[in-house]
Amino acid sequence: MRFWQNYLKYRRALRAQAKAERELEKIYPPNLSSDFDSGEFADYIRREDQLYEWKKLIQTDYFRNKAINLNVPMPDQEDKEMYGTVDWDDDPKQPKYLTDKGLRVIRDAIRAEQRQRREPVNYWFAIVVGVIGSIAGLISAFK
């Protein structure tokens, strides 16, 4: 149940972020030379960076919750290759988000843990199916 709540929250947040991206694309400065001088282009770039950081924070939250549910350790927050930080001007709390390398590492760790948890189920499932098949074969042979 917790998995679905986390996933639905993640998808809803990504939809909101994608909608904000589409809205920002509508106001892309058409005349770069005059918009650059007036500061509109710099404002556009700043807002685009904020949307990028927002998406990374959403992904970090999702994978952190998933890792907690599976007891997978997150990468060290002090590692600059694994985490980026939102600028202080944008958010006084300066939240940290996983970089692309950090996302790859945690995704691989989560997949490995999920695979390891599936292996015993697959092992016993194969045994049960084999036994059921043998019993069905014996029953059909005696009829």
Side-chain angles (χ1 to χ4, degrees), residues 11 20 64 111 117 135 140:
R11 296 304 303 174
R64 181 179 295 121
R111 285 182 184 143
R117 288 182 180 205
I135 292 171
S140 67

Side-chain angles (χ1 to χ4, degrees), residues 69-95:
N69 288 337
L70 294 171
N71 290 329
V72 173
M74 290 288 288
D76 184 26
Q77 285 194 351
E78 302 306 317
D79 189 354
K80 300 286 186 203
E81 289 183 348
M82 298 293 174
Y83 282 92
T85 306
V86 175
D87 290 336
W88 187 82
D89 295 341
D90 295 335
D91 192 342
K93 295 183 284 185
Q94 285 187 297

Side-chain angles (χ1 to χ4, degrees), residues 28-29 32 35-36 38-46:
Y28 184 79
L32 291 181
D35 291 333
F36 186 79
S38 68
E40 284 184 50
F41 189 70
D43 181 54
Y44 176 83
I45 296 297
R46 182 186 57 77

Side-chain angles (χ1 to χ4, degrees), residues 3 5 18 24 28 35 39 45 50 52 56 65 67 70 74 77 86 92 95 97 102 106 123 137:
F3 165 77
Q5 289 173 342
L24 183 65
Y28 184 79
D35 291 333
I45 296 297
Q50 287 175 339
Y52 173 78
K56 291 295 185 179
N65 289 336
L70 294 171
M74 290 288 288
Q77 285 194 351
V86 175
Y97 58 86
I106 194 63
Y123 174 77

Side-chain angles (χ1 to χ4, degrees), residues 125-139:
F125 181 75
I127 290 175
V128 168
V129 167
V131 169
I132 290 172
S134 298
I135 292 171
L138 284 172
I139 290 173

Side-chain angles (χ1 to χ4, degrees), residues 40 53 101:
E40 284 184 50
E53 289 172 343
K101 182 178 180 182

